[in-house]
Amino acid sequence: MLFVKRLPQNFKETLLFIAVISILSVNLIAPLITGFEIGFSWQMWQATLRVIPFIWVAVVVLVVLTQKPAEYLASHLMAKTDSFQAQMLITALCNVFLMSIFLTAIGTWIGSGQVSMAPITHFGAKWPRNFALAFIVEAFIAQPIARSVMQLIHH
């Protein structure tokens, strides 16, 4: 029963799981997206570090708000007989899909310190890159580490 050991089993573990994923994701995705947007530099990284706590709060709120819709979407994309790995990949895909839609605008607003129409008018150009970066980080770094933490707890 690999999946039982690698997923949270109660509310406390769920909070830890979300914390691990969100902290890793925000600290990797925000600097990457910002770097691709304005260029990679020491100053860019320092500026990104200043807004990461605010982006992290937005991410946690969005995780809670998009969890049920993402589960619903994932349930329609996979069969009950799919492997644990396939289920985790599809679930990550659905979560990142929904989160990246919102964070393409919200992250820009938080990072720039102002609400404008720019992220919405440039959504078609920005979102595919943001989605790809977020999916790679989630599927191959953040979620595997969080599942490993759960496995250590349940070992």
Side-chain angles (χ1 to χ4, degrees):
M1 290 269 224
L2 177 65
F3 69 92
V4 172
K5 290 184 176 183
R6 294 182 61 89
L7 293 175
Q9 302 298 311
N10 56 46
F11 183 70
K12 183 179 169 185
E13 290 177 8
T14 300
L15 290 179
L16 176 62
F17 191 75
I18 290 171
V20 170
I21 289 174
S22 63
I23 290 169
L24 286 170
S25 296
V26 168
N27 281 284
L28 293 170
I29 296 167
L32 282 171
I33 289 173
T34 305
F36 283 116
E37 191 71 27
I38 64 172
F40 291 93
S41 69
W42 180 251
Q43 293 79 17
M44 176 280 306
W45 185 71
Q46 288 177 318
T48 304
L49 285 180
R50 285 187 214 108
V51 298
I52 281 179
F54 303 105
I55 294 174
W56 180 75
V57 170
V59 165
V60 171
V61 168
L62 282 170
V63 164
V64 172
L65 293 176
T66 62
Q67 182 179 359
K68 292 294 181 193
E71 287 174 1
Y72 176 81
L73 182 59
S75 72
H76 284 75
L77 294 174
M78 61 186 160
K80 301 240 186 264
T81 57
D82 286 344
S83 70
F84 173 75
Q85 289 85 359
Q87 290 181 17
M88 291 297 98
L89 192 62
I90 295 296
T91 301
L93 178 71
C94 294
N95 283 316
V96 171
F97 173 74
L98 294 176
M99 297 278 298
S100 65
I101 288 171
F102 293 107
L103 285 170
T104 293
I106 295 168
T108 302
W109 294 336
I110 293 170
S112 67
Q114 63 180 343
V115 176
S116 71
M117 289 301 293
I120 295 167
T121 57
H122 300 293
F123 182 83
K126 307 290 183 187
W127 176 77
R129 178 202 59 211
N130 295 353
F131 170 77
L133 288 171
F135 182 66
I136 289 166
V137 169
E138 284 290 318
F140 300 110
I141 300 170
Q143 293 220 4
I145 290 172
R147 287 192 300 270
S148 294
V149 170
M150 290 297 110
Q151 189 170 12
L152 287 172
I153 290 171
H154 299 141
H155 186 63

